Amino acid sequence: MFSIGDLSRRTGVKVPTIRYYEQMGLVAAAERSEGNQRRYSRQELERLAFIRHARDLGFAVEDIRALIDLSGHPEQPCGHADKIAQEQLISVREKIAQLKRLETELERIASCCDGKTVGDCYVIRALSDHALCADEHVS
């Protein structure tokens, strides 16, 4: 059995986040020791590591819940899990494209500034007037 602090250290998930996952039903409610401390099994440790990895990959809590539910049925086809992963991949690629647009615009704005004072600063003018942007970079 692991204390909540042990779980946190082993998984890198902060204690308040573990409590949140417990409230959300992603991690089973902990047993309590005689001193009323939360005690977690190896299964909860593994579940929390699963959740942490999924969160690191950007999966939403709802998707993690669905993936956890699917993991409880190893005999079923994995099409739904594949679909969830593919949707996350699409989302990540969209975010990357957005970040590339932001990078391009920031490079352009930063390189256009040849002012010596803030009053002549192109960065300040561009941030004040979206029409000075080269293209649409917001989603």
Side-chain angles (χ1 to χ4, degrees):
M1 299 298 283
F2 303 96
S3 71
I4 197 166
D6 291 337
L7 220 56
S8 177
R9 281 186 291 282
R10 288 173 181 256
T11 62
V13 177
K14 294 182 179 178
V15 169
T17 305
I18 295 171
R19 289 185 188 123
Y20 169 75
Y21 291 154
E22 193 175 319
Q23 289 172 343
M24 296 296 294
L26 295 177
V27 175
E31 295 178 22
R32 297 288 182 149
S33 69
E34 288 181 20
N36 204 28
Q37 289 184 329
R38 287 177 163 91
R39 305 302 288 169
Y40 297 90
S41 70
R42 173 146 311 270
Q43 184 177 354
E44 276 84 33
L45 174 70
E46 291 169 0
R47 167 76 55 89
L48 191 56
F50 179 98
I51 294 167
R52 168 71 192 263
H53 191 193
R55 292 296 289 154
D56 287 347
L57 291 170
F59 285 99
V61 170
E62 303 80 35
D63 291 333
I64 295 170
R65 184 184 312 283
L67 291 165
I68 288 170
D69 289 345
L70 289 169
S71 72
H73 303 282
E75 73 287 349
Q76 292 189 1
C78 65
H80 188 62
D82 293 343
K83 182 176 184 266
I84 292 170
Q86 285 296 324
E87 288 171 356
Q88 179 59 16
L89 178 59
I90 289 166
S91 176
V92 166
R93 286 180 173 156
E94 288 169 355
K95 289 174 187 171
I96 290 169
Q98 169 70 13
L99 288 170
K100 286 181 179 179
R101 288 191 300 275
L102 291 175
E103 177 187 33
T104 299
E105 186 59 21
L106 285 168
E107 279 180 342
R108 190 191 68 75
I109 289 171
S111 67
C112 286
C113 191
D114 57 2
K116 304 286 186 252
T117 66
V118 172
D120 296 329
C121 182
Y122 187 80
V123 172
I124 300 297
R125 283 185 294 159
L127 293 173
S128 299
D129 183 359
H130 194 67
L132 294 176
C133 293
D135 67 51
E136 194 61 31
H137 53 84
V138 293
S139 54

